[in-house]
Amino acid sequence: MIKALRWGVVIAFAFVACSKSNDAPTTTTPPPADAGDDDTVLCDPGAPAANAPPPPASKPAAAPLVQWVDPFIGTGGLGYGTGSTFPGPQRPFGMVRPGPDTSDGKGAPIFTHCAGYAYSDTYIEGFSHTRMSGTGIADYGTLALMPTIGMSDAKTKQSGYHARFTHQGEKASPGYYAVTLADSGVNVEITATDHVGVHRYTFPAGTDAVVLVDVGHLIADGSKIIDGSVTVDAVAKEVSGFSHFVGGYSNRFNGSSVYYVARFARAFTKYGVWKAGVTADGETTRIGGDTGAYASFDASTPVEVAVGISFVDVAHARANLEAEIAPFDTVRHDAEAAWEKALGVVAVEGRSDADFKKLYTALYHSLLMPTLASDADGSYRGMDRAVHVAQGFRYYTDFSLWDTYRSMHPLVTLLFPDISRDMMRSLVAMANDGGYIDRWPLADGYTSGMIGESAEIVVADSLAKGVRDFDLRKAYDTFKKSAMGPVPMGAPYDGRGGINEYMSRGYMTIEAGGASAARTLDYAIDDWALAKIADALGETADRDMLLARSKNWQNIYDKTSGFLLGRHADGTFDSTIPTQWQPFYAEGDAWQYLWYVPHDLAGLAQTIGGRDAALAKLEQFFTHAGCTSVPLALLPQPYFWAGNETDVLTPWIFSALDDPTRTARWTRWVMATKYGTGPDGLPGNDDSGAMSSWFVFASSGFYPLAGEDYYFLGSPIFTKVTMHLAGGDFVVDAPATSDVARFVTTATLGGKKLDRARFPHASLAGATLSLAMSATPN
């Protein structure tokens, strides 16, 4: 999901450079003169040189696996190529995400600071405790701590306490972040439990060591803290209160509150509070969104502080702190152990350390969101803003479902089915508490973000993969409310906007506005997914009706242009430049939306003119992207665009149409040129792990079709991948694979030859997928 940029901002990005570059090449081979004009293979951008040296020997990725994760990957990039990840520590899917928020000293533009951190920056504006990963929206960013030397009224503002830093003084690994502040010489270290951020500050000896607790801290330009409080308890060595934030999406429901208790390991020598820029030494409380506190310490030993947070209240923040507090080094060790265990579910052997780094960083990024929202005792604040208790599961929020249904959720379901089950139970809990399952729930509010109802696809995919221990009936009945008619006026969720028109006409009209063609396509996919849920519940009449509706994508296919276009109320199609964004799409153009029929690829191919015609047009789509010079990634990319979700399935459509050779060719090209090991090493916003999970699957040699019970065959870059699944190891064995040997010539699963370039989910556990690889396809 990408938030649109003003062109002036886009142009400005052209003059901003990351200090560390992606290791992937930035230019491609010029095309032949007739590029894209026929059905031949016009270029092979990943083809090795004729005199390519023999590949290096294969080796396993050595333990510990956390050494291969670089949290700085994705923290840079330009414009629409911004990854929007952050380098701070957290546990897998943890609630607290402490880390640095940065700026250039003058400001923090929203688009490059959605997670608070931009690699090109030179100032740290504080270390806040909540954020999202990879999204195109800036939200959260609550409660910043900042070590500084001395105290003054000026330091009640970020502009007064921010500090310069360099990447040479910075370190990051799973569960740990460290930086030395250039101006003060203070060394900052941060680690985390599920609910607690733990800081350790080492001040230069003899200095006036001060720690600021800023309730009014902002993660990016334009975000707001509209209320808050701070209370100092010198006896308990605590600072507590709340911060009510309003960000890019939470402004749609007037924001949410994060409650906190910051407990220091030793006593204060001095303390005070502030409000509206005015400090008050020795006082203990202030109310409002422009408040904060400060405490001074003897600088002879490091200052440790643990910050427990909760969405419920201060008492629960304190209870979370009590349940998880431990010395800094213990918390760091446990955080690294948690990541080692999570990463260890996938073991690989390969020929390149860079590939190991890409793979394990991608897996790491895939396990950051959604966000744990229940406390240590199971309490959580629901979508009705009331407090509930999650019985027998952990409650999650911050589901970027339009982005994550395609590969991130299928990856979690494959590798961590228990966590997937808890996520499905969380969606059902949202239905129980607030009446609806939002397509983009954030904190304890409905945002109605993006389009469609992608939660239906996530539930259908979980069912298809065997995760069923949740209230499917409740989920179905909730989905059905908005699939069969508009939600009532005043409801917290807007459902499927324009659903009556969709049901009566079979498409959304341009006159209805709001990405009409994209919504038509999303609703058709959602209908297909909902039909699968209906079938599982024995609702055969609903199933048949929904399956019929899932064909509505055909109603916006324009035979004259050969594209899926916006259509007017009088039935006429709009004209368009196929590579130009139009308001009837959502973040894309006609070429990119042509392939957005994942649930009916065979039908799409037939509509285009048959399998051969569809393959030729798909090849044309990739040839223009891979074999011609394209604009810098700071602009929306024409043709295939690895950085946005509408395109992520397209390389696999070749395999879907039984042409795995071209899936191999183009997925290899994407992995080699769109993913790297630098801060700009992601093709765009990671979108809660959407782009990273794509790489985990693609590099392993297969990819899901969300909602179905099978995977498409690709081309693994690793000689061996072992996934330790709940029912037994799944092994992808491709000993000959290399940059030269990219093509699968023979594939067997469990000793049986695959007749098509796909295989079922149910056959994975305890099986080996053996792949014979060659430099030339069959």
Side-chain angles (χ1 to χ4, degrees), residues 616-646:
K617 196 160 188 173
L618 189 58
E619 180 70 22
Q620 184 180 358
F621 175 68
F622 276 95
T623 296
H624 276 298
C627 303
T628 63
S629 297
V630 295
L632 294 174
L634 64 90
L635 300 175
Q637 300 293 282
Y639 302 104
F640 173 77
W641 183 10
N644 208 17
E645 280 72 15
T646 50

Side-chain angles (χ1 to χ4, degrees), residues 14 157 178 201 243 251 262 282 309 390-391 397 419 430 457 465-466 470 478 489 528 538 540 543 609 644 646 692:
K157 305 293 185 183
Y201 307 134
S243 177
N251 63 359
I309 68 170
Q391 300 284 359
T397 188
I419 295 176
M430 292 176 183
I457 308 172
K465 309 290 174 51
F470 60 95
T478 304
M489 292 292 293
W528 168 79
T540 55
R543 176 201 64 198
N644 208 17
T646 50
S692 289

Side-chain angles (χ1 to χ4, degrees), residues 54-60 349-353 356 719 735 737-738:
S58 178
K59 61 183 179 180
E349 298 177 15
R351 307 184 191 279
S352 163
D353 286 355
F356 295 156
T719 56
T737 193
S738 68

